[in-house]
Every structure is written in structure tokens, then in C-alpha cells.
Short mmCIF file of all heavy atoms in Angstrom, two decimals:
data_model
loop_
_atom_site.label_atom_id
_atom_site.label_comp_id
_atom_site.label_asym_id
_atom_site.label_seq_id
_atom_site.Cartn_x
_atom_site.Cartn_y
_atom_site.Cartn_z
N HIS A 1 -2.23 -19.99 13.79
CA HIS A 1 -3.68 -19.87 13.69
C HIS A 1 -4.12 -19.79 12.23
O HIS A 1 -3.35 -19.40 11.34
CB HIS A 1 -4.16 -18.62 14.41
CG HIS A 1 -4.22 -18.78 15.90
ND1 HIS A 1 -4.59 -17.75 16.74
CD2 HIS A 1 -3.97 -19.85 16.71
CE1 HIS A 1 -4.56 -18.17 17.99
NE2 HIS A 1 -4.18 -19.43 17.99
N TYR A 2 -5.38 -20.13 12.03
CA TYR A 2 -5.99 -19.89 10.73
C TYR A 2 -5.87 -18.39 10.42
O TYR A 2 -5.85 -17.56 11.33
CB TYR A 2 -7.47 -20.31 10.80
CG TYR A 2 -8.21 -20.23 9.50
CD1 TYR A 2 -7.99 -21.17 8.49
CD2 TYR A 2 -9.13 -19.22 9.27
CE1 TYR A 2 -8.67 -21.11 7.29
CE2 TYR A 2 -9.82 -19.15 8.07
CZ TYR A 2 -9.58 -20.09 7.08
OH TYR A 2 -10.26 -20.01 5.90
N PRO A 3 -5.78 -18.02 9.14
CA PRO A 3 -5.58 -16.60 8.79
C PRO A 3 -6.60 -15.66 9.42
O PRO A 3 -7.72 -16.05 9.76
CB PRO A 3 -5.71 -16.60 7.26
CG PRO A 3 -5.30 -17.97 6.86
CD PRO A 3 -5.81 -18.87 7.94
N GLY A 4 -6.20 -14.42 9.53
CA GLY A 4 -7.08 -13.42 10.13
C GLY A 4 -8.28 -13.08 9.29
O GLY A 4 -9.33 -12.69 9.81
N PHE A 5 -8.18 -13.25 7.97
CA PHE A 5 -9.25 -12.82 7.07
C PHE A 5 -9.63 -13.92 6.11
O PHE A 5 -8.78 -14.61 5.56
CB PHE A 5 -8.80 -11.59 6.28
CG PHE A 5 -8.35 -10.46 7.14
CD1 PHE A 5 -7.00 -10.32 7.48
CD2 PHE A 5 -9.25 -9.55 7.66
CE1 PHE A 5 -6.58 -9.30 8.30
CE2 PHE A 5 -8.84 -8.53 8.49
CZ PHE A 5 -7.50 -8.40 8.82
N THR A 6 -10.94 -14.07 5.91
CA THR A 6 -11.45 -15.01 4.92
C THR A 6 -12.43 -14.29 4.01
O THR A 6 -13.33 -13.58 4.49
CB THR A 6 -12.17 -16.20 5.59
OG1 THR A 6 -11.27 -16.86 6.48
CG2 THR A 6 -12.65 -17.20 4.55
N HIS A 7 -12.24 -14.45 2.72
CA HIS A 7 -13.11 -13.80 1.73
C HIS A 7 -13.89 -14.87 0.96
O HIS A 7 -13.31 -15.87 0.51
CB HIS A 7 -12.27 -12.97 0.74
CG HIS A 7 -11.43 -11.94 1.40
ND1 HIS A 7 -11.93 -10.73 1.82
CD2 HIS A 7 -10.10 -11.92 1.71
CE1 HIS A 7 -10.96 -10.01 2.37
NE2 HIS A 7 -9.84 -10.72 2.31
N PHE A 8 -15.17 -14.66 0.82
CA PHE A 8 -16.05 -15.56 0.08
C PHE A 8 -16.53 -14.78 -1.14
O PHE A 8 -17.39 -13.90 -1.02
CB PHE A 8 -17.22 -16.01 0.95
CG PHE A 8 -16.80 -16.63 2.26
CD1 PHE A 8 -16.64 -15.83 3.39
CD2 PHE A 8 -16.56 -17.99 2.36
CE1 PHE A 8 -16.26 -16.38 4.60
CE2 PHE A 8 -16.17 -18.55 3.57
CZ PHE A 8 -16.01 -17.74 4.70
N LEU A 9 -15.99 -15.09 -2.30
CA LEU A 9 -16.24 -14.30 -3.50
C LEU A 9 -17.49 -14.77 -4.24
O LEU A 9 -17.61 -15.95 -4.57
CB LEU A 9 -15.03 -14.38 -4.45
CG LEU A 9 -13.67 -13.98 -3.87
CD1 LEU A 9 -12.60 -14.03 -4.96
CD2 LEU A 9 -13.73 -12.59 -3.25
N ALA A 10 -18.40 -13.83 -4.49
CA ALA A 10 -19.59 -14.08 -5.32
C ALA A 10 -20.21 -15.45 -5.08
O ALA A 10 -20.36 -16.24 -6.00
CB ALA A 10 -19.23 -13.92 -6.80
N PRO A 11 -20.56 -15.78 -3.84
CA PRO A 11 -21.04 -17.14 -3.54
C PRO A 11 -22.31 -17.51 -4.30
O PRO A 11 -23.33 -16.85 -4.18
CB PRO A 11 -21.29 -17.09 -2.03
CG PRO A 11 -21.47 -15.64 -1.71
CD PRO A 11 -20.61 -14.89 -2.66
N HIS A 12 -22.21 -18.60 -5.07
CA HIS A 12 -23.35 -19.12 -5.83
C HIS A 12 -23.91 -20.39 -5.20
O HIS A 12 -24.72 -21.08 -5.81
CB HIS A 12 -22.92 -19.43 -7.27
CG HIS A 12 -22.84 -18.22 -8.15
ND1 HIS A 12 -21.96 -17.17 -7.93
CD2 HIS A 12 -23.55 -17.88 -9.27
CE1 HIS A 12 -22.11 -16.25 -8.86
NE2 HIS A 12 -23.08 -16.64 -9.68
N TYR A 13 -23.49 -20.72 -3.99
CA TYR A 13 -23.81 -22.00 -3.39
C TYR A 13 -24.77 -21.90 -2.22
O TYR A 13 -24.92 -22.84 -1.45
CB TYR A 13 -22.51 -22.69 -2.94
CG TYR A 13 -21.54 -21.78 -2.21
CD1 TYR A 13 -21.63 -21.54 -0.85
CD2 TYR A 13 -20.53 -21.13 -2.92
CE1 TYR A 13 -20.75 -20.70 -0.19
CE2 TYR A 13 -19.64 -20.29 -2.28
CZ TYR A 13 -19.75 -20.07 -0.91
OH TYR A 13 -18.87 -19.23 -0.28
N THR A 14 -25.43 -20.75 -2.06
CA THR A 14 -26.35 -20.62 -0.94
C THR A 14 -27.65 -19.94 -1.36
O THR A 14 -27.63 -18.86 -1.97
CB THR A 14 -25.70 -19.81 0.20
OG1 THR A 14 -26.71 -19.44 1.16
CG2 THR A 14 -25.04 -18.55 -0.32
N PRO A 15 -28.79 -20.53 -1.03
CA PRO A 15 -30.09 -19.93 -1.38
C PRO A 15 -30.41 -18.70 -0.54
O PRO A 15 -31.29 -17.92 -0.91
CB PRO A 15 -31.08 -21.06 -1.11
CG PRO A 15 -30.42 -21.91 -0.08
CD PRO A 15 -28.96 -21.87 -0.42
N THR A 16 -29.74 -18.51 0.59
CA THR A 16 -30.03 -17.35 1.43
C THR A 16 -29.35 -16.08 0.92
O THR A 16 -29.56 -15.01 1.46
CB THR A 16 -29.59 -17.60 2.89
OG1 THR A 16 -28.18 -17.88 2.91
CG2 THR A 16 -30.36 -18.76 3.48
N ASN A 17 -28.55 -16.22 -0.14
CA ASN A 17 -27.86 -15.07 -0.73
C ASN A 17 -27.98 -15.15 -2.25
O ASN A 17 -26.99 -15.33 -2.97
CB ASN A 17 -26.39 -15.07 -0.30
CG ASN A 17 -25.61 -13.86 -0.81
OD1 ASN A 17 -26.16 -12.97 -1.46
ND2 ASN A 17 -24.33 -13.83 -0.52
N PRO A 18 -29.20 -15.03 -2.77
CA PRO A 18 -29.40 -15.21 -4.21
C PRO A 18 -28.73 -14.15 -5.07
O PRO A 18 -28.53 -14.36 -6.27
CB PRO A 18 -30.93 -15.15 -4.35
CG PRO A 18 -31.39 -14.37 -3.16
CD PRO A 18 -30.45 -14.74 -2.06
N SER A 19 -28.38 -13.01 -4.49
CA SER A 19 -27.70 -11.96 -5.26
C SER A 19 -26.18 -12.13 -5.25
O SER A 19 -25.46 -11.32 -5.84
CB SER A 19 -28.06 -10.58 -4.69
OG SER A 19 -29.44 -10.32 -4.83
N HIS A 20 -25.69 -13.16 -4.56
CA HIS A 20 -24.27 -13.51 -4.55
C HIS A 20 -23.38 -12.40 -3.98
O HIS A 20 -22.29 -12.14 -4.48
CB HIS A 20 -23.78 -13.88 -5.97
CG HIS A 20 -24.73 -14.72 -6.74
ND1 HIS A 20 -25.22 -15.92 -6.26
CD2 HIS A 20 -25.33 -14.55 -7.95
CE1 HIS A 20 -26.06 -16.46 -7.14
NE2 HIS A 20 -26.15 -15.64 -8.16
N TRP A 21 -23.85 -11.75 -2.94
CA TRP A 21 -23.04 -10.71 -2.31
C TRP A 21 -21.81 -11.32 -1.66
O TRP A 21 -21.90 -12.32 -0.94
CB TRP A 21 -23.85 -9.99 -1.23
CG TRP A 21 -25.08 -9.29 -1.73
CD1 TRP A 21 -25.19 -8.50 -2.84
CD2 TRP A 21 -26.38 -9.32 -1.14
NE1 TRP A 21 -26.47 -8.03 -2.98
CE2 TRP A 21 -27.23 -8.51 -1.94
CE3 TRP A 21 -26.91 -9.93 -0.01
CZ2 TRP A 21 -28.57 -8.31 -1.64
CZ3 TRP A 21 -28.24 -9.73 0.30
CH2 TRP A 21 -29.07 -8.93 -0.52
N ASN A 22 -20.64 -10.71 -1.89
CA ASN A 22 -19.42 -11.16 -1.23
C ASN A 22 -19.58 -11.13 0.28
O ASN A 22 -20.30 -10.28 0.83
CB ASN A 22 -18.25 -10.24 -1.61
CG ASN A 22 -17.67 -10.55 -2.97
OD1 ASN A 22 -18.32 -11.18 -3.80
ND2 ASN A 22 -16.45 -10.11 -3.20
N GLN A 23 -18.89 -12.04 0.96
CA GLN A 23 -18.87 -12.06 2.42
C GLN A 23 -17.43 -12.08 2.90
O GLN A 23 -16.54 -12.61 2.21
CB GLN A 23 -19.63 -13.28 2.95
CG GLN A 23 -21.07 -13.36 2.51
CD GLN A 23 -21.91 -12.16 2.92
OE1 GLN A 23 -21.81 -11.70 4.05
NE2 GLN A 23 -22.73 -11.65 2.01
N GLU A 24 -17.21 -11.51 4.07
CA GLU A 24 -15.85 -11.43 4.63
C GLU A 24 -15.91 -11.67 6.13
O GLU A 24 -16.79 -11.14 6.81
CB GLU A 24 -15.24 -10.06 4.34
CG GLU A 24 -15.25 -9.71 2.86
CD GLU A 24 -14.89 -8.26 2.61
OE1 GLU A 24 -14.04 -7.74 3.35
OE2 GLU A 24 -15.46 -7.67 1.70
N ALA A 25 -14.99 -12.46 6.64
CA ALA A 25 -14.98 -12.78 8.06
C ALA A 25 -13.58 -12.62 8.63
O ALA A 25 -12.58 -12.90 7.97
CB ALA A 25 -15.46 -14.22 8.29
N MET A 26 -13.53 -12.16 9.89
CA MET A 26 -12.27 -12.03 10.62
C MET A 26 -12.22 -13.09 11.72
O MET A 26 -13.22 -13.38 12.37
CB MET A 26 -12.15 -10.65 11.27
CG MET A 26 -11.79 -9.55 10.31
SD MET A 26 -11.47 -8.00 11.19
CE MET A 26 -10.01 -8.48 12.13
N ASN A 27 -11.03 -13.63 11.93
CA ASN A 27 -10.79 -14.68 12.91
C ASN A 27 -10.35 -14.05 14.23
O ASN A 27 -9.17 -13.79 14.45
CB ASN A 27 -9.72 -15.63 12.37
CG ASN A 27 -9.29 -16.67 13.39
OD1 ASN A 27 -9.99 -16.92 14.38
ND2 ASN A 27 -8.14 -17.28 13.15
N LEU A 28 -11.28 -13.81 15.13
CA LEU A 28 -10.95 -13.17 16.40
C LEU A 28 -10.32 -14.14 17.39
O LEU A 28 -9.84 -13.72 18.45
CB LEU A 28 -12.19 -12.52 17.00
CG LEU A 28 -12.86 -11.43 16.14
CD1 LEU A 28 -13.93 -10.69 16.93
CD2 LEU A 28 -11.83 -10.45 15.58
N ALA A 29 -10.28 -15.41 17.04
CA ALA A 29 -9.52 -16.37 17.85
C ALA A 29 -8.02 -16.17 17.68
O ALA A 29 -7.23 -16.69 18.47
CB ALA A 29 -9.91 -17.79 17.49
N ALA A 30 -7.64 -15.42 16.66
CA ALA A 30 -6.22 -15.15 16.42
C ALA A 30 -5.73 -13.90 17.12
O ALA A 30 -4.57 -13.53 17.00
CB ALA A 30 -5.97 -15.03 14.92
N LEU A 31 -6.61 -13.22 17.86
CA LEU A 31 -6.18 -12.06 18.62
C LEU A 31 -5.22 -12.49 19.72
O LEU A 31 -5.24 -13.63 20.17
CB LEU A 31 -7.39 -11.35 19.24
CG LEU A 31 -8.42 -10.75 18.29
CD1 LEU A 31 -9.58 -10.13 19.09
CD2 LEU A 31 -7.79 -9.71 17.37
N PRO A 32 -4.38 -11.58 20.18
CA PRO A 32 -3.44 -11.95 21.24
C PRO A 32 -4.14 -12.15 22.58
O PRO A 32 -5.14 -11.49 22.86
CB PRO A 32 -2.49 -10.73 21.30
CG PRO A 32 -3.32 -9.60 20.79
CD PRO A 32 -4.19 -10.20 19.72
N PRO A 33 -3.63 -13.06 23.41
CA PRO A 33 -4.20 -13.22 24.75
C PRO A 33 -4.04 -11.91 25.53
O PRO A 33 -3.04 -11.20 25.32
CB PRO A 33 -3.33 -14.33 25.37
CG PRO A 33 -2.68 -15.00 24.20
CD PRO A 33 -2.51 -13.96 23.15
N PRO A 34 -4.96 -11.53 26.38
CA PRO A 34 -6.18 -12.27 26.75
C PRO A 34 -7.39 -11.83 25.94
O PRO A 34 -8.52 -12.07 26.37
CB PRO A 34 -6.34 -11.87 28.21
CG PRO A 34 -5.89 -10.43 28.24
CD PRO A 34 -4.75 -10.35 27.25
N THR A 35 -7.18 -11.19 24.79
CA THR A 35 -8.30 -10.64 24.03
C THR A 35 -8.93 -11.63 23.07
O THR A 35 -9.99 -11.37 22.51
CB THR A 35 -7.86 -9.39 23.24
OG1 THR A 35 -6.86 -9.78 22.28
CG2 THR A 35 -7.27 -8.33 24.17
N ALA A 36 -8.27 -12.77 22.82
CA ALA A 36 -8.77 -13.74 21.85
C ALA A 36 -10.03 -14.43 22.35
O ALA A 36 -10.19 -14.66 23.55
CB ALA A 36 -7.70 -14.78 21.55
N HIS A 37 -10.93 -14.74 21.44
CA HIS A 37 -12.12 -15.52 21.77
C HIS A 37 -12.60 -16.23 20.52
O HIS A 37 -12.33 -15.78 19.39
CB HIS A 37 -13.22 -14.64 22.37
CG HIS A 37 -13.39 -13.30 21.73
ND1 HIS A 37 -14.16 -13.11 20.61
CD2 HIS A 37 -12.88 -12.08 22.06
CE1 HIS A 37 -14.14 -11.82 20.27
NE2 HIS A 37 -13.37 -11.18 21.12
N PRO A 38 -13.30 -17.36 20.66
CA PRO A 38 -13.68 -18.18 19.50
C PRO A 38 -14.84 -17.56 18.71
O PRO A 38 -15.96 -18.06 18.70
CB PRO A 38 -14.08 -19.51 20.14
CG PRO A 38 -14.58 -19.12 21.49
CD PRO A 38 -13.71 -17.98 21.93
N THR A 39 -14.52 -16.45 18.05
CA THR A 39 -15.55 -15.67 17.38
C THR A 39 -15.14 -15.34 15.96
O THR A 39 -13.97 -15.04 15.69
CB THR A 39 -15.80 -14.35 18.15
OG1 THR A 39 -16.20 -14.65 19.49
CG2 THR A 39 -16.88 -13.51 17.48
N LEU A 40 -16.10 -15.38 15.07
CA LEU A 40 -15.93 -14.87 13.71
C LEU A 40 -16.68 -13.55 13.61
O LEU A 40 -17.83 -13.46 14.04
CB LEU A 40 -16.48 -15.86 12.67
CG LEU A 40 -15.78 -17.22 12.61
CD1 LEU A 40 -16.54 -18.15 11.67
CD2 LEU A 40 -14.33 -17.07 12.15
N LEU A 41 -16.02 -12.56 13.05
CA LEU A 41 -16.65 -11.26 12.84
C LEU A 41 -16.89 -11.08 11.35
O LEU A 41 -15.94 -10.97 10.57
CB LEU A 41 -15.75 -10.14 13.37
CG LEU A 41 -16.04 -8.71 12.91
CD1 LEU A 41 -17.48 -8.32 13.21
CD2 LEU A 41 -15.06 -7.72 13.55
N PHE A 42 -18.16 -11.08 10.96
CA PHE A 42 -18.51 -10.83 9.56
C PHE A 42 -18.79 -9.34 9.37
O PHE A 42 -19.63 -8.77 10.08
CB PHE A 42 -19.76 -11.63 9.16
CG PHE A 42 -19.49 -13.09 8.91
CD1 PHE A 42 -19.48 -14.00 9.95
CD2 PHE A 42 -19.24 -13.54 7.62
CE1 PHE A 42 -19.24 -15.35 9.72
CE2 PHE A 42 -18.99 -14.89 7.38
CZ PHE A 42 -18.99 -15.79 8.43
N TYR A 43 -18.08 -8.73 8.44
CA TYR A 43 -18.39 -7.36 8.03
C TYR A 43 -19.37 -7.43 6.88
O TYR A 43 -19.12 -8.10 5.87
CB TYR A 43 -17.13 -6.64 7.57
CG TYR A 43 -16.19 -6.22 8.67
CD1 TYR A 43 -15.01 -6.92 8.92
CD2 TYR A 43 -16.47 -5.11 9.46
CE1 TYR A 43 -14.14 -6.52 9.92
CE2 TYR A 43 -15.60 -4.70 10.46
CZ TYR A 43 -14.44 -5.42 10.68
OH TYR A 43 -13.59 -5.02 11.68
N ILE A 44 -20.49 -6.76 7.01
CA ILE A 44 -21.48 -6.74 5.94
C ILE A 44 -21.75 -5.29 5.54
O ILE A 44 -21.82 -4.41 6.39
CB ILE A 44 -22.78 -7.44 6.36
CG1 ILE A 44 -23.38 -6.82 7.61
CG2 ILE A 44 -22.53 -8.93 6.57
CD1 ILE A 44 -24.74 -7.41 8.01
#
């Protein structure tokens, strides 16, 4: 599976985040069956 964690450092490429706040997402599709589901969990 794709890694469990993705980090987006100081994003300068989006107008909806002009302060460039870091973003982090977890890959819940990588959970073990039967708990896996096609979901990204963003911690803010």
C-alpha cells in the first residue's frame, strides 16, 4: 500500500492556504481488513 503518512510541508501552491500551514494525511486504506476503507484522515 501507499505509505501510512503523507506530509505536505509549507505548501505555497494553493490559494486556500495563504499562510502555508503544513498538512498531514493518514492512509486509512492501509488499515488491516476488515477495518480498511478508502479514506484519508487529515489531522489539522
